[in-house]
Coordinates of all heavy atoms in Angstrom, one line a residue:
M1 N 0.9 -1.2 0.0 CA 0.0 0.0 0.0 C 0.8 1.3 0.0 O 0.5 2.3 -0.6 CB -1.0 -0.1 1.2 CG -1.8 1.2 1.3 SD -3.0 1.3 0.0 CE -4.0 2.6 0.5
A2 N 1.9 1.3 0.8 CA 2.8 2.4 0.8 C 3.4 2.7 -0.6 O 3.6 3.9 -0.9 CB 3.9 2.2 1.9
W3 N 3.8 1.7 -1.3 CA 4.4 2.0 -2.6 C 3.3 2.5 -3.6 O 3.6 3.3 -4.4 CB 5.0 0.7 -3.2 CG 6.4 0.4 -2.6 CD1 6.7 -0.6 -1.8 CD2 7.5 1.2 -2.8 NE1 8.1 -0.5 -1.5 CE2 8.6 0.6 -2.0 CE3 7.8 2.4 -3.5 CZ2 9.9 1.2 -2.0 CZ3 9.1 3.0 -3.5 CH2 10.1 2.4 -2.7
L4 N 2.1 2.1 -3.4 CA 1.0 2.7 -4.2 C 0.9 4.2 -3.9 O 0.7 5.0 -4.9 CB -0.3 2.0 -3.9 CG -1.5 2.5 -4.8 CD1 -1.2 2.4 -6.2 CD2 -2.8 1.8 -4.3
L5 N 1.0 4.6 -2.7 CA 1.0 6.0 -2.3 C 2.1 6.7 -3.0 O 2.0 7.9 -3.5 CB 1.0 6.2 -0.8 CG -0.1 5.7 0.0 CD1 0.1 5.9 1.5 CD2 -1.4 6.4 -0.4
V6 N 3.3 6.2 -3.0 CA 4.5 6.8 -3.6 C 4.2 7.0 -5.2 O 4.6 8.0 -5.7 CB 5.8 6.0 -3.4 CG1 6.9 6.5 -4.2 CG2 6.1 6.0 -1.9
I7 N 3.6 6.0 -5.8 CA 3.3 6.0 -7.2 C 2.3 7.1 -7.5 O 2.6 8.0 -8.4 CB 2.9 4.7 -7.8 CG1 4.0 3.7 -7.7 CG2 2.3 4.8 -9.2 CD1 3.6 2.2 -7.9
V8 N 1.3 7.2 -6.7 CA 0.2 8.3 -7.0 C 0.9 9.6 -6.7 O 0.7 10.6 -7.4 CB -1.0 8.0 -6.1 CG1 -1.9 9.2 -6.2 CG2 -1.6 6.6 -6.6
A9 N 1.7 9.7 -5.7 CA 2.4 11.0 -5.3 C 3.3 11.4 -6.4 O 3.4 12.6 -6.8 CB 3.2 10.8 -4.0
G10 N 4.0 10.4 -7.1 CA 4.8 10.8 -8.2 C 4.1 11.3 -9.4 O 4.5 12.2 -10.1
L11 N 2.9 10.7 -9.6 CA 2.0 11.2 -10.7 C 1.5 12.6 -10.4 O 1.4 13.4 -11.3 CB 0.8 10.2 -10.9 CG 1.2 8.8 -11.4 CD1 0.0 7.9 -11.4 CD2 1.9 8.9 -12.8
L12 N 1.2 12.8 -9.2 CA 0.7 14.2 -8.8 C 1.9 15.2 -8.9 O 1.7 16.3 -9.2 CB 0.2 14.2 -7.4 CG -1.1 13.4 -7.1 CD1 -1.4 13.4 -5.7 CD2 -2.2 14.1 -8.0
E13 N 3.2 14.7 -8.7 CA 4.3 15.6 -8.9 C 4.4 16.0 -10.4 O 4.7 17.2 -10.7 CB 5.6 14.9 -8.5 CG 6.8 15.8 -8.6 CD 8.2 15.0 -8.4 OE1 8.2 13.8 -8.2 OE2 9.2 15.8 -8.5
T14 N 4.1 15.1 -11.2 CA 4.1 15.4 -12.7 C 3.1 16.5 -12.9 O 3.3 17.5 -13.6 CB 3.7 14.2 -13.6 OG1 4.7 13.2 -13.4 CG2 3.5 14.6 -15.0
G15 N 1.9 16.4 -12.2 CA 0.8 17.4 -12.4 C 1.3 18.7 -11.9 O 1.0 19.8 -12.5
F16 N 2.0 18.8 -10.7 CA 2.3 20.1 -10.2 C 3.5 20.7 -11.0 O 3.5 21.9 -11.2 CB 2.6 20.1 -8.7 CG 3.9 19.6 -8.1 CD1 5.1 20.3 -8.3 CD2 3.9 18.6 -7.3 CE1 6.3 19.9 -7.7 CE2 5.1 18.2 -6.7 CZ 6.3 18.8 -6.9
A17 N 4.4 19.9 -11.6 CA 5.4 20.4 -12.4 C 4.8 21.1 -13.7 O 5.2 22.2 -14.1 CB 6.4 19.4 -12.8
V18 N 3.9 20.4 -14.3 CA 3.3 20.9 -15.6 C 2.4 22.2 -15.2 O 2.5 23.2 -16.0 CB 2.3 19.8 -16.2 CG1 1.5 20.4 -17.3 CG2 3.2 18.6 -16.7
C19 N 1.7 22.2 -14.1 CA 0.9 23.3 -13.7 C 1.9 24.5 -13.5 O 1.5 25.7 -13.7 CB 0.0 23.1 -12.6 SG -1.4 22.0 -13.1
L20 N 3.0 24.2 -12.9 CA 4.0 25.3 -12.6 C 4.3 26.0 -13.9 O 4.4 27.3 -13.9 CB 5.3 24.7 -11.9 CG 6.3 25.7 -11.4 CD1 5.7 26.6 -10.4 CD2 7.4 24.9 -10.8
K21 N 4.6 25.3 -15.0 CA 4.9 25.8 -16.2 C 3.7 26.7 -16.8 O 3.8 27.8 -17.2 CB 5.3 24.8 -17.3 CG 5.6 25.4 -18.6 CD 6.0 24.4 -19.6 CE 6.2 24.9 -21.0 NZ 7.1 26.1 -21.1
L22 N 2.5 26.0 -16.7 CA 1.3 26.6 -17.2 C 0.9 27.9 -16.5 O 0.1 28.7 -17.0 CB 0.2 25.6 -17.3 CG 0.4 24.4 -18.2 CD1 -0.8 23.4 -18.1 CD2 0.6 24.8 -19.6
S23 N 1.4 28.0 -15.2 CA 1.0 29.2 -14.4 C 1.8 30.5 -14.9 O 1.4 31.5 -14.4 CB 1.3 28.9 -12.9 OG 2.7 29.0 -12.6
H24 N 2.8 30.3 -15.6 CA 3.5 31.5 -16.1 C 4.0 32.3 -15.0 O 3.7 33.5 -14.9 CB 2.7 32.3 -17.2 CG 2.5 31.6 -18.4 ND1 3.4 31.6 -19.5 CD2 1.5 30.8 -18.8 CE1 2.9 30.8 -20.5 NE2 1.8 30.3 -20.1
G25 N 4.7 31.7 -14.0 CA 5.2 32.4 -12.9 C 4.1 32.9 -11.9 O 4.2 33.9 -11.3
F26 N 3.1 32.0 -11.7 CA 2.0 32.2 -10.9 C 1.2 33.5 -11.2 O 0.6 34.1 -10.4 CB 2.4 32.3 -9.4 CG 3.1 31.1 -8.8 CD1 4.4 31.2 -8.3 CD2 2.4 29.9 -8.9 CE1 5.0 30.0 -7.8 CE2 3.1 28.7 -8.4 CZ 4.4 28.8 -7.8
T27 N 1.2 33.8 -12.5 CA 0.3 34.9 -13.0 C -1.0 34.5 -13.6 O -1.8 35.3 -13.9 CB 1.2 35.7 -14.1 OG1 1.4 34.8 -15.2 CG2 2.4 36.2 -13.5
R28 N -1.2 33.1 -13.7 CA -2.5 32.6 -14.3 C -3.2 31.8 -13.1 O -2.6 30.9 -12.5 CB -2.2 31.7 -15.4 CG -1.7 32.6 -16.6 CD -1.2 31.8 -17.8 NE -2.4 31.2 -18.5 CZ -2.4 30.2 -19.3 NH1 -1.3 29.6 -19.5 NH2 -3.5 29.7 -19.8
L29 N -4.4 32.2 -12.8 CA -5.1 31.7 -11.6 C -5.3 30.3 -11.5 O -4.9 29.6 -10.6 CB -6.4 32.4 -11.4 CG -7.3 32.0 -10.2 CD1 -6.5 32.3 -8.9 CD2 -8.6 32.6 -10.2
W30 N -5.9 29.7 -12.5 CA -6.3 28.2 -12.4 C -5.2 27.3 -12.5 O -5.1 26.3 -11.7 CB -7.3 27.9 -13.5 CG -8.6 28.6 -13.2 CD1 -9.3 29.6 -13.9 CD2 -9.5 28.4 -12.0 NE1 -10.4 30.0 -13.3 CE2 -10.5 29.3 -12.1 CE3 -9.4 27.5 -10.9 CZ2 -11.6 29.3 -11.2 CZ3 -10.4 27.6 -9.9 CH2 -11.5 28.5 -10.1
P31 N -4.1 27.5 -13.3 CA -2.9 26.7 -13.2 C -2.2 26.8 -11.9 O -1.7 25.8 -11.3 CB -2.0 27.2 -14.4 CG -2.9 27.7 -15.4 CD -4.0 28.3 -14.5
T32 N -2.2 28.0 -11.3 CA -1.6 28.3 -10.0 C -2.4 27.4 -8.9 O -1.8 26.8 -8.0 CB -1.6 29.7 -9.6 OG1 -0.8 30.4 -10.6 CG2 -1.0 29.9 -8.2
I33 N -3.7 27.5 -8.9 CA -4.6 26.8 -8.0 C -4.3 25.3 -8.1 O -4.1 24.5 -7.2 CB -6.0 27.1 -8.1 CG1 -6.3 28.5 -7.6 CG2 -6.9 26.1 -7.4 CD1 -7.6 29.1 -8.0
A34 N -4.3 24.8 -9.4 CA -4.0 23.3 -9.7 C -2.6 23.0 -9.2 O -2.5 21.9 -8.6 CB -4.1 23.1 -11.2
F35 N -1.6 23.8 -9.4 CA -0.3 23.5 -8.9 C -0.3 23.4 -7.4 O 0.3 22.3 -6.9 CB 0.7 24.7 -9.2 CG 1.9 24.7 -8.3 CD1 3.0 23.9 -8.6 CD2 2.0 25.5 -7.2 CE1 4.1 23.8 -7.8 CE2 3.1 25.5 -6.4 CZ 4.2 24.6 -6.7
C36 N -1.0 24.2 -6.7 CA -1.1 24.0 -5.2 C -1.8 22.7 -4.8 O -1.3 22.0 -3.9 CB -1.9 25.2 -4.6 SG -0.9 26.9 -4.7
A37 N -2.9 22.4 -5.4 CA -3.5 21.2 -5.1 C -2.7 20.0 -5.4 O -2.6 19.1 -4.6 CB -4.9 21.1 -5.9
F38 N -2.1 19.9 -6.6 CA -1.2 18.7 -6.9 C 0.0 18.7 -5.9 O 0.4 17.6 -5.5 CB -0.7 18.9 -8.3 CG -1.7 18.5 -9.4 CD1 -2.0 19.4 -10.5 CD2 -2.3 17.2 -9.4 CE1 -2.9 19.0 -11.4 CE2 -3.2 16.9 -10.4 CZ -3.5 17.8 -11.4
A39 N 0.6 19.8 -5.6 CA 1.7 19.8 -4.7 C 1.4 19.3 -3.4 O 2.0 18.5 -2.7 CB 2.3 21.2 -4.6
L40 N 0.3 19.8 -2.8 CA -0.2 19.4 -1.5 C -0.6 17.9 -1.5 O -0.2 17.2 -0.6 CB -1.4 20.2 -1.0 CG -1.1 21.6 -0.5 CD1 -2.4 22.4 -0.3 CD2 -0.3 21.6 0.8
G41 N -1.2 17.4 -2.5 CA -1.5 16.0 -2.6 C -0.3 15.2 -2.7 O -0.2 14.1 -2.1
S42 N 0.7 15.6 -3.5 CA 1.9 14.8 -3.7 C 2.7 14.7 -2.5 O 3.1 13.6 -2.0 CB 2.7 15.5 -4.9 OG 3.9 14.8 -5.1
F43 N 3.0 15.8 -1.8 CA 3.7 15.8 -0.6 C 3.0 15.1 0.5 O 3.7 14.4 1.4 CB 4.1 17.3 -0.2 CG 5.2 17.9 -1.0 CD1 4.9 19.0 -1.8 CD2 6.5 17.4 -1.0 CE1 5.9 19.6 -2.6 CE2 7.5 18.0 -1.7 CZ 7.2 19.0 -2.6
G44 N 1.7 15.3 0.5 CA 0.9 14.6 1.6 C 1.0 13.1 1.5 O 1.2 12.3 2.5
L45 N 0.8 12.5 0.2 CA 0.9 11.1 0.1 C 2.3 10.6 0.3 O 2.5 9.5 0.8 CB 0.5 10.8 -1.3 CG -1.0 11.0 -1.7 CD1 -1.3 10.6 -3.1 CD2 -1.8 10.1 -0.7
L46 N 3.3 11.3 -0.1 CA 4.7 11.0 0.2 C 4.9 10.8 1.6 O 5.6 9.9 2.1 CB 5.7 11.9 -0.5 CG 7.2 11.5 -0.4 CD1 7.5 10.2 -1.0 CD2 8.1 12.7 -0.9
T47 N 4.4 11.9 2.4 CA 4.6 11.9 3.8 C 4.0 10.6 4.5 O 4.6 10.0 5.3 CB 4.0 13.2 4.4 OG1 4.7 14.3 3.8 CG2 4.1 13.2 5.9
M48 N 2.8 10.2 3.9 CA 2.2 9.1 4.5 C 2.9 7.8 4.2 O 3.1 6.9 5.0 CB 0.7 8.9 3.9 CG -0.2 10.0 4.5 SD -1.8 10.1 3.7 CE -2.3 8.5 3.5
A49 N 3.4 7.7 3.0 CA 4.2 6.6 2.6 C 5.5 6.4 3.4 O 6.0 5.3 3.7 CB 4.5 6.6 1.1
L50 N 6.1 7.6 3.7 CA 7.4 7.5 4.4 C 7.3 7.0 5.8 O 8.2 6.7 6.5 CB 8.1 8.9 4.4 CG 8.6 9.3 3.1 CD1 9.1 10.7 3.1 CD2 9.7 8.3 2.6
K51 N 6.0 6.8 6.3 CA 5.8 6.2 7.6 C 6.2 4.7 7.6 O 6.6 4.1 8.6 CB 4.4 6.4 8.1 CG 4.0 7.8 8.5 CD 2.6 7.9 8.8 CE 2.2 9.4 9.1 NZ 0.7 9.5 9.5
K52 N 6.1 4.2 6.4 CA 6.4 2.7 6.2 C 7.6 2.3 5.4 O 8.1 1.2 5.5 CB 5.1 2.0 5.5 CG 3.8 2.2 6.3 CD 3.7 1.2 7.3 CE 2.2 1.4 7.9 NZ 2.0 0.5 9.0
L53 N 8.1 3.3 4.6 CA 9.2 3.0 3.7 C 10.5 3.7 4.1 O 10.5 4.8 4.8 CB 8.8 3.4 2.3 CG 7.6 2.7 1.7 CD1 7.2 3.4 0.4 CD2 7.8 1.3 1.5
D54 N 11.6 3.2 3.7 CA 12.9 3.9 3.8 C 12.9 5.1 2.9 O 12.3 5.1 1.8 CB 14.1 3.0 3.3 CG 14.3 1.8 4.3 OD1 13.9 1.9 5.5 OD2 14.9 0.8 3.9
V55 N 13.4 6.2 3.4 CA 13.4 7.5 2.7 C 14.0 7.5 1.3 O 13.6 8.1 0.4 CB 13.9 8.7 3.6 CG1 15.3 8.6 3.8 CG2 13.4 10.0 3.0
G56 N 15.2 6.9 1.2 CA 16.0 6.9 0.0 C 15.3 6.3 -1.2 O 15.1 7.0 -2.2
P57 N 14.9 5.0 -1.1 CA 14.2 4.5 -2.3 C 12.8 5.1 -2.6 O 12.5 5.4 -3.7 CB 14.0 3.0 -1.9 CG 15.0 2.7 -0.9 CD 15.3 4.0 -0.2
A58 N 12.1 5.5 -1.5 CA 10.8 6.1 -1.7 C 11.0 7.5 -2.4 O 10.2 7.8 -3.3 CB 10.1 6.3 -0.4
Y59 N 11.9 8.3 -1.9 CA 12.1 9.6 -2.5 C 12.6 9.5 -4.0 O 12.2 10.2 -4.8 CB 13.1 10.4 -1.7 CG 13.3 11.8 -2.2 CD1 12.4 12.8 -2.1 CD2 14.5 12.1 -2.9 CE1 12.6 14.0 -2.5 CE2 14.7 13.4 -3.4 CZ 13.7 14.4 -3.2 OH 14.0 15.6 -3.7
A60 N 13.5 8.5 -4.2 CA 14.0 8.3 -5.6 C 12.9 7.9 -6.5 O 12.9 8.4 -7.7 CB 15.2 7.3 -5.6
V61 N 12.0 7.0 -6.1 CA 10.9 6.6 -6.9 C 10.0 7.7 -7.2 O 9.5 8.0 -8.3 CB 10.2 5.4 -6.3 CG1 8.9 5.1 -7.0 CG2 11.1 4.1 -6.3
W62 N 9.7 8.5 -6.2 CA 8.8 9.7 -6.3 C 9.3 10.7 -7.3 O 8.6 11.1 -8.2 CB 8.7 10.3 -4.9 CG 7.8 11.5 -4.8 CD1 6.5 11.6 -5.0 CD2 8.2 12.9 -4.6 NE1 6.1 13.0 -4.9 CE2 7.2 13.7 -4.6 CE3 9.6 13.4 -4.3 CZ2 7.3 15.1 -4.4 CZ3 9.6 14.7 -4.1 CH2 8.5 15.6 -4.1
T63 N 10.6 11.0 -7.1 CA 11.2 12.0 -8.1 C 11.3 11.4 -9.4 O 11.2 12.1 -10.5 CB 12.5 12.5 -7.6 OG1 13.4 11.5 -7.3 CG2 12.4 13.3 -6.3
G64 N 11.6 10.1 -9.6 CA 11.8 9.5 -10.9 C 10.5 9.5 -11.7 O 10.5 9.8 -12.8
I65 N 9.5 9.1 -11.0 CA 8.1 9.1 -11.6 C 7.8 10.5 -12.0 O 7.3 10.8 -13.2 CB 7.0 8.5 -10.7 CG1 7.3 7.1 -10.6 CG2 5.6 8.8 -11.3 CD1 6.4 6.4 -9.5
G66 N 8.0 11.5 -11.2 CA 7.7 12.9 -11.5 C 8.6 13.5 -12.7 O 8.0 14.0 -13.6
A67 N 9.9 13.1 -12.7 CA 10.7 13.6 -13.8 C 10.4 12.9 -15.1 O 10.3 13.6 -16.1 CB 12.2 13.3 -13.4
A68 N 10.2 11.6 -15.1 CA 9.9 10.9 -16.3 C 8.5 11.3 -16.8 O 8.3 11.6 -18.0 CB 10.0 9.4 -16.1
G69 N 7.6 11.4 -15.9 CA 6.2 11.8 -16.3 C 6.2 13.2 -16.9 O 5.5 13.4 -17.8
T70 N 6.9 14.1 -16.2 CA 6.9 15.5 -16.7 C 7.5 15.6 -18.1 O 7.0 16.3 -19.0 CB 7.6 16.4 -15.7 OG1 6.9 16.3 -14.4 CG2 7.6 17.9 -16.2
A71 N 8.6 14.9 -18.3 CA 9.3 14.9 -19.6 C 8.4 14.3 -20.7 O 8.3 14.9 -21.8 CB 10.6 14.1 -19.5
V72 N 7.7 13.2 -20.4 CA 6.8 12.6 -21.4 C 5.7 13.5 -21.7 O 5.3 13.7 -22.9 CB 6.4 11.2 -21.0 CG1 5.2 10.6 -21.8 CG2 7.5 10.2 -20.9
Y73 N 5.0 14.1 -20.7 CA 4.0 15.0 -20.9 C 4.3 16.2 -21.7 O 3.6 16.6 -22.6 CB 3.4 15.5 -19.5 CG 2.2 16.3 -19.6 CD1 0.9 15.7 -19.5 CD2 2.2 17.6 -19.9 CE1 -0.3 16.4 -19.6 CE2 1.0 18.4 -20.1 CZ -0.2 17.7 -19.9 OH -1.4 18.4 -20.0
G74 N 5.5 16.7 -21.4 CA 6.0 17.9 -22.2 C 6.2 17.5 -23.7 O 5.8 18.3 -24.6
M75 N 6.7 16.3 -24.0 CA 6.9 15.9 -25.4 C 5.6 15.7 -26.0 O 5.4 16.0 -27.2 CB 7.8 14.7 -25.4 CG 9.2 14.9 -25.1 SD 10.3 13.5 -25.4 CE 9.8 12.4 -24.1
V76 N 4.6 15.1 -25.3 CA 3.4 14.6 -26.0 C 2.4 15.9 -26.1 O 1.8 16.1 -27.1 CB 2.7 13.5 -25.2 CG1 1.3 13.2 -25.7 CG2 3.6 12.2 -25.2
F77 N 2.3 16.7 -25.0 CA 1.3 17.7 -25.0 C 1.8 19.2 -25.1 O 1.0 20.1 -25.5 CB 0.5 17.6 -23.8 CG -0.3 16.3 -23.7 CD1 0.1 15.3 -22.8 CD2 -1.4 16.0 -24.5 CE1 -0.5 14.1 -22.7 CE2 -2.1 14.9 -24.4 CZ -1.7 13.9 -23.5
L78 N 3.0 19.4 -24.8 CA 3.5 20.8 -24.7 C 4.5 21.1 -25.8 O 5.1 22.2 -25.9 CB 4.2 21.1 -23.4 CG 3.2 20.9 -22.2 CD1 4.0 21.2 -20.9 CD2 2.0 21.8 -22.3
G79 N 4.8 20.2 -26.7 CA 5.7 20.5 -27.9 C 7.1 20.5 -27.6 O 7.9 21.0 -28.3
D80 N 7.5 19.9 -26.4 CA 8.9 19.7 -26.1 C 9.6 18.9 -27.2 O 9.1 18.0 -27.7 CB 9.1 19.1 -24.7 CG 8.7 20.1 -23.6 OD1 8.3 21.1 -23.8 OD2 8.8 19.6 -22.4
L81 N 10.9 19.1 -27.3 CA 11.8 18.4 -28.3 C 11.7 16.9 -28.0 O 11.9 16.5 -26.8 CB 13.2 18.9 -28.3 CG 14.2 18.2 -29.2 CD1 13.8 18.5 -30.7 CD2 15.6 18.7 -28.9
V82 N 11.5 16.1 -29.0 CA 11.6 14.6 -28.8 C 12.9 14.2 -29.5 O 13.1 14.5 -30.7 CB 10.4 13.9 -29.5 CG1 10.5 12.5 -29.5 CG2 9.1 14.4 -28.9
S83 N 13.7 13.4 -28.8 CA 15.0 13.0 -29.4 C 15.2 11.5 -28.9 O 14.7 11.2 -27.8 CB 16.2 13.8 -29.0 OG 16.4 13.8 -27.6
T84 N 16.0 10.8 -29.6 CA 16.4 9.5 -29.2 C 17.1 9.5 -27.8 O 16.7 8.7 -27.0 CB 17.3 8.8 -30.2 OG1 16.6 8.8 -31.5 CG2 17.6 7.4 -29.9
L85 N 18.0 10.4 -27.7 CA 18.7 10.5 -26.4 C 17.7 10.8 -25.2 O 17.8 10.2 -24.1 CB 19.8 11.6 -26.4 CG 20.6 11.8 -25.1 CD1 21.3 10.5 -24.8 CD2 21.6 12.9 -25.3
K86 N 16.7 11.6 -25.4 CA 15.8 12.0 -24.4 C 15.0 10.7 -24.0 O 14.7 10.5 -22.8 CB 14.9 13.1 -24.8 CG 14.0 13.7 -23.7 CD 13.1 14.8 -24.1 CE 13.9 16.1 -24.1 NZ 12.9 17.2 -24.3
I87 N 14.5 10.0 -25.0 CA 13.7 8.8 -24.8 C 14.5 7.7 -24.1 O 14.1 7.1 -23.1 CB 13.1 8.3 -26.1 CG1 12.0 9.2 -26.6 CG2 12.5 6.9 -25.9 CD1 11.6 9.0 -28.0
V88 N 15.8 7.5 -24.5 CA 16.7 6.6 -23.8 C 16.9 7.0 -22.4 O 16.8 6.2 -21.5 CB 18.0 6.4 -24.6 CG1 19.0 5.6 -23.7 CG2 17.8 5.8 -25.9
S89 N 17.1 8.2 -22.1 CA 17.3 8.7 -20.8 C 16.1 8.6 -19.8 O 16.2 8.1 -18.7 CB 17.7 10.3 -20.8 OG 18.9 10.4 -21.5
I90 N 14.9 8.8 -20.4 CA 13.7 8.6 -19.7 C 13.5 7.1 -19.3 O 13.2 6.8 -18.2 CB 12.5 9.1 -20.4 CG1 12.5 10.6 -20.5 CG2 11.2 8.6 -19.8 CD1 11.5 11.2 -21.4
T91 N 13.8 6.2 -20.3 CA 13.8 4.8 -20.1 C 14.8 4.4 -19.0 O 14.4 3.6 -18.1 CB 14.1 4.1 -21.4 OG1 13.2 4.4 -22.4 CG2 14.1 2.6 -21.2
L92 N 16.0 5.0 -19.0 CA 16.9 4.7 -17.9 C 16.4 5.1 -16.5 O 16.6 4.4 -15.5 CB 18.3 5.3 -18.1 CG 19.0 4.7 -19.3 CD1 20.3 5.5 -19.7 CD2 19.4 3.2 -19.0
V93 N 15.7 6.3 -16.5 CA 15.1 6.7 -15.2 C 14.1 5.7 -14.7 O 14.1 5.3 -13.6 CB 14.5 8.2 -15.4 CG1 13.7 8.5 -14.1 CG2 15.6 9.2 -15.5
I94 N 13.3 5.3 -15.6 CA 12.2 4.4 -15.3 C 12.8 3.0 -14.8 O 12.3 2.4 -13.8 CB 11.2 4.1 -16.5 CG1 10.4 5.4 -16.7 CG2 10.3 3.0 -16.2 CD1 9.7 5.5 -18.0
V95 N 13.8 2.6 -15.5 CA 14.5 1.3 -15.1 C 15.1 1.5 -13.7 O 15.0 0.6 -12.9 CB 15.6 0.9 -16.1 CG1 16.5 -0.3 -15.5 CG2 14.9 0.4 -17.4
G96 N 15.7 2.6 -13.4 CA 16.3 2.9 -12.1 C 15.2 2.9 -11.0 O 15.4 2.4 -9.9
V97 N 14.1 3.5 -11.3 CA 12.9 3.6 -10.4 C 12.4 2.2 -10.1 O 12.2 1.8 -8.9 CB 11.8 4.4 -11.0 CG1 10.5 4.2 -10.2 CG2 12.1 6.0 -11.0
I98 N 12.3 1.3 -11.1 CA 11.8 0.0 -10.9 C 12.8 -0.8 -10.0 O 12.5 -1.5 -9.1 CB 11.6 -0.8 -12.2 CG1 10.4 -0.1 -12.9 CG2 11.4 -2.3 -12.0 CD1 10.2 -0.6 -14.4
G99 N 14.1 -0.6 -10.3 CA 15.2 -1.3 -9.5 C 15.1 -0.8 -8.1 O 15.3 -1.6 -7.2
L100 N 15.0 0.5 -7.8 CA 14.9 0.9 -6.4 C 13.6 0.4 -5.7 O 13.7 0.0 -4.6 CB 14.9 2.5 -6.4 CG 16.2 3.1 -6.6 CD1 16.1 4.6 -6.9 CD2 17.2 2.9 -5.4
Q101 N 12.5 0.3 -6.4 CA 11.3 -0.2 -5.8 C 11.5 -1.7 -5.6 O 11.1 -2.1 -4.5 CB 10.2 0.0 -6.8 CG 8.8 -0.1 -6.1 CD 8.3 -1.6 -6.0 OE1 8.7 -2.4 -6.7 NE2 7.5 -1.8 -5.0
L102 N 12.2 -2.4 -6.4 CA 12.4 -3.8 -6.2 C 13.4 -4.1 -5.1 O 13.4 -5.2 -4.5 CB 12.9 -4.6 -7.5 CG 11.8 -4.6 -8.6 CD1 12.4 -5.2 -9.8 CD2 10.6 -5.4 -8.1
S103 N 14.2 -3.1 -4.8 CA 15.2 -3.2 -3.7 C 14.5 -3.4 -2.4 O 15.1 -3.8 -1.4 CB 16.2 -2.1 -3.7 OG 15.6 -0.9 -3.2
G104 N 13.2 -2.9 -2.3 CA 12.4 -3.1 -1.1 C 12.8 -2.1 0.0 O 13.5 -1.2 -0.1
S105 N 12.2 -2.3 1.1 CA 12.3 -1.5 2.3 C 12.5 -2.5 3.5 O 12.1 -3.5 3.5 CB 11.0 -0.7 2.4 OG 11.1 0.0 3.6
S106 N 13.3 -2.0 4.4 CA 13.5 -2.8 5.6 C 12.4 -2.9 6.5 O 12.4 -3.6 7.5 CB 14.8 -2.3 6.4 OG 14.5 -0.9 6.8
H107 N 11.3 -2.1 6.3 CA 10.1 -2.2 7.2 C 9.1 -3.1 6.7 O 8.8 -3.2 5.5 CB 9.5 -0.7 7.2 CG 10.5 0.2 7.9 ND1 11.2 1.2 7.1 CD2 10.9 0.3 9.1 CE1 12.0 1.9 7.9 NE2 11.9 1.4 9.1

């Protein structure tokens, strides 16, 4: 259950990163409100998960999901540059996240 919280928190991290861009420096109301909601949800779920998990792997999985998710979202929906190196790098992040998750927790 704790790992599920980390995964959802990572997806919410993607949401707050995208909304941060869309807010244009917090000058647009709805993306700013969405940023706040995604950020609070993401940090809240991560906090709950850290009660059961080691901080290193949990934090790495959270940031990995957020980073990979944000990069993919940017390429698909925001017109970010798509390159072979970027796709390989995102794949390596995902493989690293899976490896850290499989490393388990001592709790």
Side-chain angles (χ1 to χ4, degrees):
M1 179 64 170
W3 281 113
L4 179 61
L5 294 177
V6 172
I7 291 167
V8 173
L11 294 172
L12 292 175
E13 182 187 2
T14 296
F16 82 67
V18 170
C19 288
L20 187 59
K21 177 177 177 57
L22 297 176
S23 77
H24 293 273
F26 298 124
T27 61
R28 296 173 69 201
L29 179 63
W30 293 112
T32 299
I33 290 170
F35 162 79
C36 292
F38 282 126
L40 285 171
S42 181
F43 286 113
L45 292 176
L46 180 62
T47 299
M48 291 169 46
L50 289 176
K51 291 178 183 178
K52 303 277 186 183
L53 300 173
D54 290 339
V55 68
Y59 182 75
V61 168
W62 177 70
T63 57
I65 291 170
T70 303
V72 169
Y73 188 94
M75 288 187 293
V76 173
F77 297 107
L78 301 177
D80 290 358
L81 177 68
V82 178
S83 69
T84 302
L85 181 57
K86 189 179 275 190
I87 292 169
V88 168
S89 298
I90 291 168
T91 302
L92 290 172
V93 168
I94 293 168
V95 168
V97 165
I98 292 168
L100 283 167
Q101 197 278 337
L102 293 175
S103 74
S105 177
S106 63
H107 298 105

